[in-house]
Every structure is written in structure tokens, then in C-alpha cells.
Amino acid sequence: MTEIFKKEIKEGLEASPKTLPSKYFYDKTGDALFVEIMNLPEYYLTRSELDIFKNKTQQLIDSFNLKTDTYFELIELGAGDGLKTKELLKELDAQNFKFDFFPIDISKNALDLLEKDLKKEIPNLSVKTQQGDYFEILHSLKKSKNPKIVLFLGSNIGNMTDVQASKFIYNLSENLQEDDKLLLGVDLIKPKEIVLPAYNDSKGITAKFNLNLLHRINRELRGNFNLNNFKHLPEYTDKEGIAKSFIISTTNQTVEIKAINKSFNFSEGEKIHTEISRKYNNIIIQEIISNTNFIIDTKIMDSKKYFADYIFTRTSKFKH
């Protein structure tokens, strides 16, 4: 892990413009800060999708086109704490559907906590936790030939470029069979006044979350970033539909990172790009799946129409 971390931080800071990978936000401190962010009044994303899973649960179930007497596998990529999925699982259990739940996550700790929670809240539920890479696990599950429903929630796909997202969805379709379903949760394009505060809250928690990455480099790679000389700055226009996060140098300065035996110069106002959060509409979604075996079945939105869960069906061959 440390070697990859060193390599990717070095490559990112040597690039022009400078970048740092957003996946390194999530150490112990970063995890705790992100939980705080999800509970902020400005951060509408989690609440919006939870609104769908709580208030349109039956619509979701109907869109899967399931029969109560036919066994299926419900697979969630990046299951985390299962906050939203629990609403669906409770209803499926109450209606006596036959299925196993396969939560996939890179974090064993997250999976252990989720399994413990689900045993308490839905004792009849069969949970088969899967730790590791999404596609490796999907490929191994593919052998079963049972009908599958895959959940990829939280607009996590928005952290990818459209090219990356298209490749990701293509790989998903390759690991599924005809008539399998994918539920993809995405944040919709909205005015700047709604989107930007979600990445620049009044309490400054999102700023702390971004700057914690510099703390982590200091701690794990023996860096000497002075956090007082950097600030967090998000940007968004509804025309482009992509929220971008930056860490900006507020002065001319040099930072040394001893673990990679290198110093980096920053000029005043120079940006380090840390993250994107893509927002979507039907045209962008259609473009992303155009190269895959998926077709759009249904689009279910929250009460404010901020967020959408798209349900795709995997067809037998490519569309022409």
C-alpha cells in the first residue's frame, strides 16, 4: 500500500497541472469526516437517494421484474454501511422473495459491521459478504448462472470521467447475463446554487476532508505541507455539469516529501486537482451505456428530482 501511495502521490505532484487521487481521502480521519459531510444540510446526495429507497421501494422492486418463487442474487458494489439498501432488503424480506445478498466492499471492517447490523435488523436475510475488487468478485459470481441484480449507488460513478464510466459499465455488462439488472444511482444536473454548497459547506467540513489528504501525506510519507498555506476550492457550472475539487496554494512555497526524496514547488494560486463529481441527464447516461449490452428500463427520481436511480437490463447482444 505505501509503495503505491508513494508512487501515485509522486506522479500526481509531478504532473502539470498537479493532481492528487481522491481515493486517498479515506483514512480513519477522512472516513469520520465523510460521515459528517453526509449529515450536513447542504449535502443532499445521500438524503435524495434514501428518499427513493424509503418512499419508492415498491417501484424499485417492480422495476426488477422479479417473481417471489424465483431465486436471485442481489449484489451491491461498495456496500458501505448499507443505509439505503436496508430499506429495499427489509421490503424484499417482508414479501418473501428468495435471494442472497452479496455486499462487496474493499473494507473488511465495513463488511463486518454491515453483516452484524443486518443480522440484528433482518434476521432472516442470507448475507454473503465479499471483500475485494468488484470485477474479480463479479467474475467469480458469474459462474452461478442465477439471475442477478447489481446495485451501484450514491452517484459513485460520478467520480469517474465519462470515458472511465463507459468502460466501467461495459465491464459490468460483460460480467452479467441476459436479463440481469443494474440499478445505477446518479446525481442529476442542477443549478450551481444547489450543487456547489454540497462541496463547500458553511461549517468547513468538506474543506477539512480535502486538506486531510495533505495531513495524511505528512504523516505517512514524512511530508512538510503547511496546511495554513493551502485552502480548498470547489468549482461547478450547470452547463458543464461537473463539480471539481481543488486544493490551492495561497503562497509561493516548496514542500518536501522525504519518503519519496523529492521537493515540489507551488506558486501562489496554483491548483491541485483532487476530485470530480459528474452530474447527469438522460443524454449523458445514454452516451455512457451506448457501447454496452445495457438498455434503460426505468428512471426513478426522488421527490425533489435532484437524484435518479436508473434501472438497466442486460440484453443478449450489442445494440446497433
Side-chain angles (χ1 to χ4, degrees), residues 26 32 56 68 89 91 183-184 191 210:
Y26 299 93
K56 298 190 175 177
T68 46
L89 293 169
E91 199 51 45
L183 186 156
L184 181 69
N210 273 260

Side-chain angles (χ1 to χ4, degrees), residues 189-248:
I189 291 176
K190 290 177 289 301
K192 187 178 179 176
E193 296 71 36
I194 299 167
V195 174
L196 208 47
Y199 302 93
N200 197 24
D201 63 279
S202 55
K203 286 186 176 176
I205 309 294
T206 317
K208 269 190 201 169
F209 178 65
N210 273 260
L211 292 169
N212 177 59
L213 180 47
L214 304 186
H215 256 310
R216 184 174 181 181
I217 294 168
N218 284 351
R219 186 179 67 249
E220 295 183 27
L221 301 182
R222 304 196 314 280
N224 68 346
F225 279 98
N226 180 345
L227 271 68
N228 295 322
N229 291 341
F230 290 89
K231 66 177 183 182
H232 163 248
L233 182 80
E235 294 176 1
Y236 176 79
T237 63
D238 38 312
K239 188 182 176 189
E240 188 185 28
I242 302 172
K244 297 173 183 173
S245 290
F246 298 94
I247 295 171
I248 293 186

Side-chain angles (χ1 to χ4, degrees), residues 175-194:
N175 280 285
L176 296 174
Q177 293 157 122
E178 190 176 353
D179 295 328
D180 285 347
K181 305 277 184 183
L182 167 65
L183 186 156
L184 181 69
V186 300
D187 196 16
L188 299 173
I189 291 176
K190 290 177 289 301
K192 187 178 179 176
E193 296 71 36
I194 299 167

